[in-house]
């Protein structure tokens, strides 16, 4: 099973404060653990929302709003893609994410839909979707 | 809820058990005893954690619990030795376990455990069971279900394997340079066997058992982290990642097998292909002549790179099989080489090659030989002979899904345009 491990933003991440050397060391050690255990498929960190934008939909209307966005807890600061046996195993890994600065933060775990789980989609659509993935590739795995 | 706690403990076990057993084995110098100590610690965890919650560092908790038991055992042994001394016997110096495990050491311990579980003194079945148990963190029940054998059989296999290791006095160490290559080949062979059993189940009603493929792939990735300078380890990872990328396309809507040339390539997993190609590059970058796994990965990569079946570079695949036949000669490789030649140069040339293999004893019960032969005969328009071959192959396979497929191909053998059918390389 694949899970997307979503790291929620914090005031510090939104402020664009760079990680301290200790934070980098700890995170690298954790990533090494993931690789050594054979569970890391991909992972990236994101810039603050000040470098992003949102598009709001209302019927045919499209409204673009540039970042930064205020509700920090709902923003995403990074993610991992893990290949594990169960939700419990994924949670167990997430509990080990270092919290070097000791502050409050949140990580959300969500299961990835595999194409065989698209029960209601016509096979032809699933295949076209996969064809598209084949052409465009996929997020690059760092593991 | 108790079941939730139990599942959480099982997840911890999946993550920690191999390191726990490896660390204990270095301490007590006995893999069987180490595994028992680890199991005892797990039982303690299952008793205590539902009430106390999972400790902050569950791995350390389990290690401490197991070490305490180990020390108790050694003390008991010491008391026994004292009694022996009283009747005037010499005793060796007490062996005091080293309870300090540095972070770097654990990788060495894991590598030692890998080599021990796959030691040539054990039967292949024992190596497989022990590897899944000690390194994959699987229960005997899970292993039994994966291989469709009774749980008691697996339990017995593991007990016997531990006894064999103890009796042979197999040291808990990474093999010396002069035997390392042969020992590594055994490790890679065990992981590949596990993957293959999941990928093309030799018996039963399922064409695939994906969980077993996942276990093998994870073991291979772990091994690549433990032995990063070994090109063949990366070759194996590459092969498994690329093979696994086809999993979704290999099974039809009703669970029937779909052959390589008929698979919908849009269903191949691009992320796994990309990872596989990266591992293959790593294997090649380490230099030296390509080993059997890197060569098989290179063949799998040819298929992975072909956007359509028509794009397949059969000449290159045939050349790679020729190279593979030199480093790992086997009639199965010869058979696959013949299939590739058939695709590159036509069925008549290939049939000549296959006919040379018909009397090879090693292929006597190999259902893919008549299956390939039937395919070539059908392409040459010799339908009556083709049907006989497909029926023979159907009678030989132990996999229900495959039997159905082969009988369907036998039934389809009538004069008319022949479809292009290629066997997935069974090696």
């Amino acid at each position: 099973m694949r899970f997307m491990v979503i790291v929620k933003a914090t005031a510090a991440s939104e402020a664009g404060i760079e990680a301290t050397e200790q934070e980098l060391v700890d995170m690298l050690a954790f990533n090494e653990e993931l690789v050594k255990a054979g569970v890391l498929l991909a992972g990236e960190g994101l810039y603050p929302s000040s470098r992003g934008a949102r598009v709001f939909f209302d019927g045919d209307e499209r409204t673009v709003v540039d970042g930064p966005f205020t509700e920090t807890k709902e923003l995403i600061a990074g993610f991992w893609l893990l290949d594990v046996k169960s939700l419990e195993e994924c949670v167990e890994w997430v509990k080990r994410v270092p919290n070097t600065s000791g502050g409050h933060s949140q990580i959300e775990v969500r299961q990835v839909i595999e194409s065989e789980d698209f029960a209601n989609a016509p096979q032809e659509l699933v295949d076209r979707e996969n064809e598209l993935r084949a052409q465009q590739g996929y997020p690059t795995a760092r593991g | 809820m108790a079941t939730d706690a139990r599942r959480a403990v099982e997840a911890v076990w999946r993550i920690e058990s191999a390191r726990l057993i490896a660390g204990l084995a270095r301490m007590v110098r006995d893999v069987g005893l180490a595994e028992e100590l680890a199991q005892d610690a797990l039982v303690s965890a299952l008793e205590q954690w539902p009430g106390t919650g999972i400790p902050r560092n569950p791995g350390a908790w389990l290690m401490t619990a197991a070490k305490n038991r180990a020390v108790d055992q050694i003390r008991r042994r010491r008391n026994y030795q004292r009694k022996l001394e009283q009747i005037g016997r010499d005793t060796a110096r007490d062996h005091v376990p080293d309870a300090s495990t540095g972070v770097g050491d654990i990788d060495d311990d894991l590598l030692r455990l890998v080599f021990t579980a796959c030691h040539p003194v054990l039967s292949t079945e024992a190596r497989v069971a022990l590897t899944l148990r000690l390194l994959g963190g699987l229960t005997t029940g899970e292993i039994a279900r994966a291989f469709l054998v009774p749980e008691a059989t697996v339990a017995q296999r593991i007990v016997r394997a531990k006894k064999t290791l103890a009796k042979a006095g197999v040291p808990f160490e990474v093999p010396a340079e002069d035997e390392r290559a042969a020992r590594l080949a055994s490790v890679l062979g065990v992981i590949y066997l596990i993957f293959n059993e999941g990928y093309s189940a030799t018996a039963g009603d399922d064409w695939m058992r994906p969980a077993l493929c996942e276990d093998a792939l994870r073991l291979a990735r772990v091994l690549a982290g433990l032995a990063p300078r070994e090109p063949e380890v990366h070759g194996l990872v590459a092969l498994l990642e690329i093979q696994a990328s086809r999993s979704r396309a290999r099974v039809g809507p009703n669970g029937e097998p779909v052959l390589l040339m008929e698979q919908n390539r849009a269903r191949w997993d691009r992320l796994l292909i990309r990872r596989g190609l990266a591992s293959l590059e790593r294997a090649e970058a380490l230099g030296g002549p390509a080993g059997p796994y890197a060569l098989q990965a290179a063949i799998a990569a040819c298929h992975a790179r072909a956007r359509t079946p028509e794009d397949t570079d059969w000449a290159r695949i045939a050349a790679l099989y020729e190279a593979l036949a030199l480093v790992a000669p086997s009639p199965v490789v010869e058979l696959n080489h013949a299939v590739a030649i058939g695709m590159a140069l036509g069925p008549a040339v290939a049939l000549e090659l296959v006919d040379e293999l018909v009397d090879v004893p090693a292929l006597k019960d190999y259902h893919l030989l008549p299956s390939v032969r039937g395919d070539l005969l059908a392409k040459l328009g010799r339908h009556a002979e083709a049907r006989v071959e497909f029926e023979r192959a159907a009678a030989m396979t132990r996999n229900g899904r495959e039997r159905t497929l082969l009988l369907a191909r036998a039934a389809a053998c009538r004069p008319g345009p022949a479809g292009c059918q290629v066997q997935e390389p069974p090696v």
Side-chain angles (χ1 to χ4, degrees), chain B residues 6 26 49 54 80 98 101 108 193 203 221 252 263 284 305 315 327 331 335 374 377:
Chain B
R6 196 189 166 86
R26 185 170 50 87
W49 292 359
I54 294 181
Y80 173 70
D98 165 25
T101 302
D108 299 340
L193 198 75
R221 289 172 186 161
Q263 285 170 16
E284 286 164 351
R305 289 191 189 106
V327 295
L335 183 62
L377 287 164

Side-chain angles (χ1 to χ4, degrees), chain A residues 1-2 33 35-42 81 83-86 88-89 92-93 95-96 114-116 123 126-127 130-131 133-141 143, chain B residues 4 7-8 11-12 14-16 19 54-55 58-59 103 107 138 211-212 214-215 217-218 221-223 225 241 248 264-267 269-272 274-275 282 307:
Chain A
M1 300 179 174
R2 298 179 193 195
E33 287 296 314
V35 171
K36 274 183 189 166
V39 297
L40 181 64
L41 292 178
L81 190 65
D83 190 3
V84 291
K85 279 274 183 191
S86 63
E88 289 83 4
E89 191 192 341
E92 190 51 43
W93 280 111
K95 280 160 69 181
R96 300 170 186 215
E114 304 294 349
S115 64
E116 55 263 37
Q123 188 54 52
V126 174
D127 290 342
N130 283 317
E131 181 64 34
R133 285 169 180 251
Q135 286 166 19
Q136 302 303 321
Y138 211 86
T140 313
Chain B
D4 286 353
R7 282 221 296 271
V12 170
R14 169 89 52 191
I15 294 172
E16 298 291 347
R19 299 159 65 128
I54 294 181
V103 172
D107 286 356
L138 273 72
L212 213 45
E214 285 169 21
D215 286 319
L217 193 46
R218 186 157 164 174
R221 289 172 186 161
V222 169
L223 188 63
E241 298 265 19
R248 283 198 302 248
N264 178 344
R265 295 179 179 225
R267 304 201 73 197
D269 187 311
R270 309 312 297 185
L271 177 60
L272 291 180
R274 197 179 284 225
R275 288 177 61 91
R282 218 165 295 157
R307 301 277 301 119

Side-chain angles (χ1 to χ4, degrees), chain A residues 5 18 20 31 35-36 42 64 77-78 88-90 95 104 120:
Chain A
V5 175
E18 286 205 17
T20 63
N31 281 327
V35 171
K36 274 183 189 166
V64 179
E88 289 83 4
E89 191 192 341
C90 191
K95 280 160 69 181
H104 289 275
N120 300 326

Side-chain angles (χ1 to χ4, degrees), chain B residues 11-32:
Chain B
V12 170
W13 182 250
R14 169 89 52 191
I15 294 172
E16 298 291 347
S17 62
R19 299 159 65 128
L20 183 64
I21 295 166
L24 289 165
R26 185 170 50 87
M27 210 171 97
V28 300
R29 297 279 156 196
D30 179 334
V31 169

